[in-house]
Amino acid sequence: TALLSPTCDDTAVVAAADLALRQINADRKEGYILSLYRIFSVREHPQEITGSVFYLILDVVDTECHVLSKKLWKNCNARLAHRTVYGQCKAIIYINQSRNIAHLNTYECILQPVPPRYIWSVCPDCPVDDRPTEPRYLEAAVQSLAKFNGESEQTHYFSVLNVTRASMQWVIGPAYFVEFLIQETSCSKKDT
């Protein structure tokens, strides 16, 4: 059978894009949940009996939800334009509605941050993303977590698992912004 070219706002296409993005996010182990910005293109290959294979190109942006949260992309807030990571995901998904099957055959996502020169042209005072592996960001995360550990009513201490996002802004001096994952330790707060 021939490949069809349905419109990007077709109900079946929108459903296929939603299912593909759910499965892409469920498969990812690092970064933040991707949200659908728009369906860039679609081709549909109807199968002999029922169902179709959809070849999708999706424009995506990251959200404020880390992939480990396992939230649905529709339940996550998109980041501000100058803080987002954006890109495209190419996905091939088989959908058979009558048998309630949705199988993501393959996908590839290419993501990139908004270029600093664009951010500075729109917002010269905005923080600019940096490499989260820099020691100064781990230090900032450890200091922040120490305050959390001291003020929380949790029974155990938490430690920094890793820094997932980092940025710097020059105010009077450098101001560091970090997003990081934490994990509960076996150390009780009752122990010294």
Side-chain angles (χ1 to χ4, degrees):
T1 57
L3 283 176
L4 305 177
S5 297
T7 62
C8 291
D9 61 353
D10 181 89
T11 307
V13 172
V14 171
D18 174 53
L19 290 168
L21 200 51
R22 287 176 189 222
Q23 291 185 28
I24 289 168
N25 283 323
D27 185 59
R28 295 177 66 230
K29 305 293 183 248
E30 292 181 350
Y32 292 83
I33 291 176
L34 301 175
S35 176
L36 182 63
Y37 180 72
R38 72 176 174 162
I39 300 169
F40 183 77
S41 73
V42 62
R43 298 296 296 260
E44 180 182 0
H45 186 207
Q47 301 301 294
E48 289 180 13
I49 302 170
T50 59
S52 289
V53 175
F54 290 90
Y55 300 86
L56 301 163
I57 299 178
L58 309 174
D59 287 342
V60 295
V61 295
D62 73 342
T63 67
E64 295 176 349
C65 301
H66 196 274
V67 294
L68 297 181
S69 72
K70 301 295 183 191
K71 290 185 178 181
L72 295 178
W73 68 269
K74 290 182 178 182
N75 296 335
C76 295
N77 294 326
R79 293 184 181 272
L80 298 173
H82 69 277
R83 299 288 328 268
T84 195
V85 170
Y86 68 98
Q88 280 191 333
C89 292
K90 295 178 181 179
I92 300 172
I93 187 168
Y94 169 74
I95 296 177
N96 183 326
Q97 288 183 329
S98 64
R99 295 176 59 198
N100 200 23
I101 297 172
H103 177 71
L104 184 66
N105 294 333
T106 185
Y107 75 93
E108 178 187 22
C109 296
I110 298 174
L111 306 172
Q112 60 188 359
V114 174
R117 65 183 176 279
Y118 171 77
I119 296 169
W120 288 323
S121 70
V122 174
C123 179
D125 295 330
C126 288
V128 177
D129 283 348
D130 199 359
R131 292 192 326 248
T133 55
E134 292 286 324
R136 62 180 171 242
Y137 297 117
L138 177 58
E139 184 180 322
V142 168
Q143 288 178 6
S144 178
L145 187 58
K147 182 176 180 185
F148 171 81
N149 278 328
E151 295 175 359
S152 79
E153 295 182 12
Q154 301 291 325
T155 58
H156 289 86
Y157 287 106
F158 285 79
S159 65
V160 174
L161 183 60
N162 66 0
V163 177
T164 57
R165 200 141 189 183
S167 59
M168 200 264 299
Q169 178 181 23
W170 197 265
V171 187
I172 295 172
Y176 302 114
F177 303 92
V178 292
E179 293 179 24
F180 54 96
L181 298 175
I182 61 174
Q183 62 185 358
E184 188 174 10
T185 69
S186 59
C187 300
S188 171
K189 284 187 170 183
K190 293 177 183 175
D191 300 334
T192 52

